[in-house]
Amino acid sequence: MTVESNPDRIEFFTAQSGHESAKVVYADGSLHHIHSLVAPEKEHEYTGSIDVWGDIVILEGTGLGYQLEGSTRNLGNARVIIAIDAHPEVLGKFTARFQEKIAPPVITVAAAQDTERLCDAIPSGSQFRVQIIRHWASYTVSPGFYDSLTRRVVEQLPRKPRGTSSPPRALLLKGSFFLESELQRALRRVYSEEPIIFDYKATGGLQDFSSVLQKSIQNDHPDVILSVNMKGFDGNGVLGRVTERSGIPVVVWFVDDPHPIMLHQAQFVRSNMIAFCWERSYLPFLEKFPFSSVHHLPLASDEMIFPFAPQQGPEIPVGFVGSAMQGDFLYSIRQKFLWKAELAPLVEKAATRLLDSREHRPAEILLQTARDLEIDLPFTDSRNVSWLVSYMIHTASMIKRRMVLGGIANSSLQTFGDPEGWSALLGKKGRHNPPLDYQNELATVYRNIAVNINITSCQMATAVNQRVFDIPSCGGFLLSDNQADMEELFEIGTEAAVYGSAEEAREKAGYYLAHEAERRAVIQKARERIDR
């Protein structure tokens, strides 16, 4: 395959400040400015000084070099600089300007055949860390050119070997999502060493994100990168390009409905990525994307957060920890799409049908309900429809919680986590408490409730949620709705207590309240199963 320069015309002009700037003129007459029309010489003030740590630095798109004005001294840390640009005339101006300012030799590349000169310029037998610094305004003109040519350059460079440690080292993309800390501890326990942590919220912008990620990969040599719900993925596909080029697999564990997630992330999926999902009914959807493979992976529990301690006469007869899934919760979803109040009857009817259906096909149920009610959706695009479906699913979850807890609500019931929501949903039935500290309070409250009710969100057709593992792990008793995975993971009756309807939930809650010995026996058996 031959990689050619961008065929569109480049034009140079004088900006308002009097400095030279450049723009691309496409065949249809549209324009793309590589530098500012006003003051291109100030570009480095916005990009900041670049941290140069690579032995070989590849400039992926040079522009006229304004972005590097504050970093010429840092570039002196490199052994060789390879400057790539799709427009030879731009590259010529860049080289003339920086050849004497930058201490390392600058090798210019503007076409595939230019890469042949690299073998003579780079000492044989040496191994180098390779850092790619991208000028985004230049890159976006012809991303295919830069991706392909950079790959050719990288393939010709001797590289420091990736880690061959046993057990392998994992890099965890970590921000503030609650499961990330649990995964960090799990990786430490399984591999007997601390995982590499990439704090994706601590990077200062796109250029810094790219630099820190590349540096971590080449210094720490991870064998795999782990993300929850594709958190830590940037909005420009840097993570995918860098890991694919480095040959590092990226594992994504979906623990929420992947449909809304993939609305924004689908374009960044690459062949080096593997998807796991806590809900098996979403696997066919995930298989539509170019993941190398897709697998089912249930949730679990963290013994550091939910350590076992025997119940000491629980003070709360019946309790539920979680959101009422109404009010502000549903409002936050409505804000994500073109919601209209006229859609409320459709959502309510479709949510009820979803609860009554034996098959988890929410999108089909919503569209069929719209036809039955002769309601025309005000939109047909995937983004708005997907969020409307999500809104309907969570509305069904709210209705389910109202049915189950409303059926057993009396002075013995307490909820934790959403007092305003539960008061609106259940009225004066029960006592409604403020949110709990997940790390420090939740396990104690679970143990202090004689019967913990579990009501699974309707986004989960077969899967079980965290409560199924966390409550028995810390010594609490769980009465759960009977999900398909519950029957696969536990022996019903001895290791798990389940209900199939709101009426059965009320009856079994009363039964287990009156039979403490049976509660304790189920807790013990459930813990033994979870610990296996």
Side-chain angles (χ1 to χ4, degrees):
M1 172 181 169
T2 301
V3 180
E4 299 296 341
S5 302
N6 192 302
D8 298 304
R9 188 173 78 256
I10 190 80
E11 287 187 2
F12 301 100
F13 64 94
T14 302
Q16 292 179 21
S17 64
H19 287 77
E20 187 176 35
S21 191
K23 62 186 176 183
V24 174
V25 182
Y26 293 109
D28 62 1
S30 59
L31 304 177
H32 176 90
H33 286 85
I34 293 177
H35 295 293
S36 168
L37 290 77
V38 180
E41 73 279 6
K42 294 185 177 181
E43 186 171 333
H44 69 281
E45 296 179 10
Y46 300 99
T47 58
S49 181
I50 298 172
D51 175 27
V52 179
W53 47 265
D55 304 305
I56 303 294
V57 172
I58 299 177
L59 302 178
E60 199 170 58
T62 64
L64 298 177
Y66 291 117
Q67 73 281 5
L68 299 176
E69 285 291 352
S71 304
T72 53
R73 181 174 299 178
N74 294 346
L75 287 168
N77 297 328
R79 294 278 299 276
V80 175
I81 295 174
I82 301 171
I84 301 176
D85 201 277
H87 297 92
E89 54 268 60
V90 171
L91 191 59
K93 286 179 176 287
F94 170 85
T95 303
R97 183 176 184 182
F98 280 94
Q99 189 71 60
E100 295 182 359
K101 288 185 178 181
I102 301 176
V106 178
I107 305 170
T108 56
V109 180
Q113 56 269 28
D114 294 343
T115 61
E116 298 171 3
R117 294 185 285 110
L118 292 174
C119 295
D120 297 329
I122 299 174
S124 60
S126 300
Q127 293 178 334
F128 302 106
R129 293 182 304 172
V130 179
Q131 179 180 4
I132 296 170
I133 298 174
R134 177 173 293 157
H135 182 234
W136 284 95
S138 298
Y139 174 84
T140 53
V141 173
S142 186
F145 166 82
Y146 289 106
D147 287 345
S148 180
L149 193 51
T150 298
R151 189 177 299 112
R152 288 193 178 200
V153 171
V154 170
E155 287 172 353
Q156 295 195 42
L157 295 175
R159 305 288 299 279
K160 286 189 174 182
R162 276 184 49 221
T164 55
S165 56
S166 181
R169 295 200 71 190
L171 184 150
L172 177 64
L173 298 172
K174 190 172 184 291
S176 57
F177 194 63
F178 76 103
L179 277 181
E180 293 166 349
S181 293
E182 287 90 319
L183 285 172
Q184 181 178 352
R185 284 188 288 271
L187 291 168
R188 182 191 308 135
R189 198 161 50 240
V190 170
Y191 297 137
S192 301
E193 65 175 296
E194 192 69 28
I196 306 156
I197 300 301
F198 182 84
D199 187 347
Y200 55 83
K201 289 196 170 184
T203 56
L206 181 57
Q207 194 71 262
D208 188 42
F209 177 93
S210 176
S211 176
V212 174
L213 178 64
Q214 292 181 68
K215 187 175 182 179
S216 180
I217 287 174
Q218 299 205 43
N219 286 351
D220 300 322
H221 309 299
D223 297 279
V224 65
I225 293 176
L226 177 60
S227 165
V228 181
N229 285 353
M230 300 189 80
K231 290 183 178 295
F233 278 57
D234 61 291
N236 291 276
V238 169
L239 186 140
R241 280 188 289 267
V242 169
T243 57
E244 185 179 50
R245 195 160 47 221
S246 303
I248 301 175
V250 177
V251 173
V252 179
W253 189 21
F254 291 94
V255 296
D256 281 304
D257 182 352
H259 288 83
I261 297 172
M262 297 309 291
L263 282 174
H264 310 285
Q265 299 289 2
Q267 60 184 312
F268 304 128
V269 176
R270 299 218 166 204
S271 59
N272 64 314
M273 297 179 184
I274 304 167
F276 289 87
C277 190
W278 95 126
E279 168 56 59
R280 67 179 80 242
S281 68
Y282 292 126
L283 298 184
F285 170 73
L286 290 171
E287 288 170 352
K288 297 177 181 179
F289 302 96
F291 292 105
S292 62
S293 59
V294 175
H295 309 274
H296 175 233
L297 179 64
L299 295 168
S301 184
D302 186 341
E303 60 187 15
M304 295 293 293
I305 301 176
F306 300 97
F308 174 75
Q311 285 186 327
Q312 301 294 329
E315 299 174 359
I316 302 169
V318 181
F320 178 82
V321 179
S323 168
M325 288 191 166
Q326 63 95 53
D328 290 344
F329 179 86
L330 291 179
Y331 174 78
S332 67
I333 301 177
R334 290 199 299 269
Q335 296 299 104
K336 297 180 183 295
F337 67 103
L338 297 176
W339 167 257
K340 293 181 179 295
E342 302 85 66
L343 294 172
L346 166 63
V347 169
E348 191 80 12
K349 182 66 174 178
T352 303
R353 285 184 173 181
L354 178 63
L355 290 172
D356 294 337
S357 175
R358 293 186 177 182
E359 297 184 17
H360 188 71
R361 297 185 297 178
E364 293 182 26
I365 289 173
L366 178 73
L367 295 176
Q368 183 58 52
T369 303
R371 289 191 289 268
D372 293 344
L373 298 179
E374 297 183 346
I375 295 176
D376 292 327
L377 296 183
F379 40 71
T380 58
D381 62 287
S382 59
R383 178 182 177 277
N384 281 289
V385 172
S386 292
W387 278 112
L388 177 60
V389 171
S390 178
Y391 183 70
M392 182 269 288
I393 291 173
H394 289 296
T395 299
S397 297
M398 180 267 289
I399 295 171
K400 182 180 178 181
R401 295 185 176 196
R402 182 177 62 201
M403 290 169 55
V404 173
L405 293 187
I408 61 177
N410 52 44
S411 59
S412 68
L413 172 70
Q414 292 194 38
T415 65
F416 296 83
D418 184 11
E420 293 81 10
W422 286 115
S423 294
L425 203 62
L426 300 179
K428 296 181 179 180
K429 296 179 179 180
R431 175 181 170 184
H432 309 303
N433 302 283
L436 298 169
D437 184 281
Y438 175 76
Q439 298 279 344
N440 302 309
E441 296 181 311
L442 191 50
T444 301
V445 171
Y446 280 154
R447 290 190 213 102
N448 202 32
I449 297 172
V451 177
N452 286 276
I453 303 295
N454 183 36
I455 308 169
T456 308
S457 167
C458 291
Q459 67 173 329
M460 303 162 72
T462 64
V464 295
N465 56 28
Q466 287 282 152
R467 298 184 194 92
V468 171
F469 303 99
D470 294 342
I471 293 173
S473 292
C474 68
F477 176 80
L478 177 77
L479 176 60
S480 177
D481 48 344
N482 192 14
Q483 294 284 98
D485 280 11
M486 179 71 78
E487 298 183 4
E488 181 177 308
L489 296 168
F490 299 91
E491 184 176 321
I492 304 301
T494 58
E495 298 175 342
V498 300
Y499 63 88
S501 66
E503 181 180 357
E504 189 177 5
R506 178 179 57 79
E507 292 174 353
K508 286 195 172 182
Y511 175 83
Y512 281 108
L513 271 175
H515 295 82
E516 180 181 354
E518 291 191 35
R519 294 202 314 267
R520 292 185 180 277
V522 172
I523 292 171
Q524 178 62 28
K525 291 293 185 181
R527 287 188 59 246
E528 291 174 0
R529 172 65 68 178
I530 292 169
D531 289 343
R532 290 180 190 175

